[in-house]
Amino acid sequence: MLKVYAIDGIIPVVDPSAYVHPTAVLVGDVIVGPGVYIGPLASLRGDFGRIVLKAGSNVQDTCVIHGVGENDTVVEADGHIGHGAVLHGCTIERNAMVGMNAVVMDQAVIGHSSIVAAMAFVKIGLAVPPRSLVVGAPARVLRELSDAEIARKSFGTRQYQLLTRRCLQTMQAVDPLAAEEPGRARLTADLVNPSQA
């Protein structure tokens, strides 16, 4: 059962084609769009302001997203939020990625098709141009991304879009096996590779 909580009468919205892991927590003014993936132990707190996850975006394990009253916190279509990242009152534009354990602060805008490197700290109000590689703490724009780099990012996002469908179709709570069974099945490229889905 999902951990979804109303506050002040405002109930989170989850599109039926989205997948929200049962250990994730959604509070208040959270709007989860079609085909969105929300991973284990993610926390989305819309108790101060609105959080919007648009179509095909993903929020991975242990991410924290907190809304603020001044503006919506938005992950636009095909946005990709890596494991352990923190978003606070910011906008992640279409097809942009925030790397693992990165932090993006209030009123920052990550331009479309940009990549924020793992462990970066994006300060309040920073406006990142489209197609930028952002690194460091505090974060700075290092250079423009190549088409090949953006394509690799987009491939990873498509893997999470496929994972959303796989989870909706096959994820279930089970008891563990006591021992590895003979001929144990493995995950294969045809299951996880979106080019073959």
Side-chain angles (χ1 to χ4, degrees):
M1 181 167 169
L2 297 181
K3 293 178 174 62
V4 177
Y5 302 92
I7 189 167
D8 298 321
I10 300 176
I11 301 171
V13 175
V14 177
D15 186 278
S17 66
Y19 175 78
V20 180
H21 191 276
T23 62
V25 177
L26 280 57
V27 177
D29 198 1
V30 177
I31 301 170
V32 177
V36 169
Y37 172 87
I38 300 177
L41 303 173
S43 175
L44 284 70
R45 284 183 44 214
D47 48 10
F48 289 175
R50 178 167 291 174
I51 297 169
V52 180
L53 305 179
K54 295 193 177 178
S57 60
N58 69 78
V59 175
Q60 298 171 22
D61 320 53
T62 73
C63 288
V64 174
I65 302 179
H66 193 208
V68 298
E70 295 79 10
N71 53 272
D72 293 351
T73 304
V74 179
V75 179
E76 292 186 0
D78 299 332
H80 189 105
I81 312 304
H83 312 289
V86 176
L87 306 183
H88 200 271
C90 58
T91 298
I92 311 303
E93 291 187 346
R94 180 181 49 81
N95 200 43
M97 183 179 96
V98 176
M100 293 181 279
N101 291 311
V103 175
V104 184
M105 293 296 294
D106 305 58
Q107 289 83 54
V109 177
I110 306 303
H112 76 79
S113 301
S114 290
I115 295 176
V116 176
M119 305 290 289
F121 178 82
V122 178
K123 65 184 181 179
I124 291 173
L126 182 65
V128 173
R131 299 178 59 98
S132 296
L133 176 61
V134 180
V135 301
R140 70 190 192 292
V141 174
L142 183 63
R143 61 177 172 79
E144 185 172 325
L145 291 166
S146 69
D147 290 343
E149 289 169 318
I150 293 171
R152 280 194 300 276
K153 178 269 162 207
S154 296
F155 176 81
T157 300
R158 287 192 307 275
Q159 285 185 308
Y160 272 89
Q161 291 165 346
L162 177 58
L163 179 60
T164 300
R165 295 191 300 274
R166 290 171 54 213
C167 289
L168 288 170
Q169 293 166 2
T170 69
M171 178 88 67
Q172 58 184 303
V174 295
D175 292 323
L177 300 174
E180 181 180 345
E181 66 272 45
R184 180 177 175 84
R186 298 182 69 92
L187 294 173
T188 58
D190 62 319
L191 288 175
V192 300
N193 184 343
S195 66
Q196 302 188 20

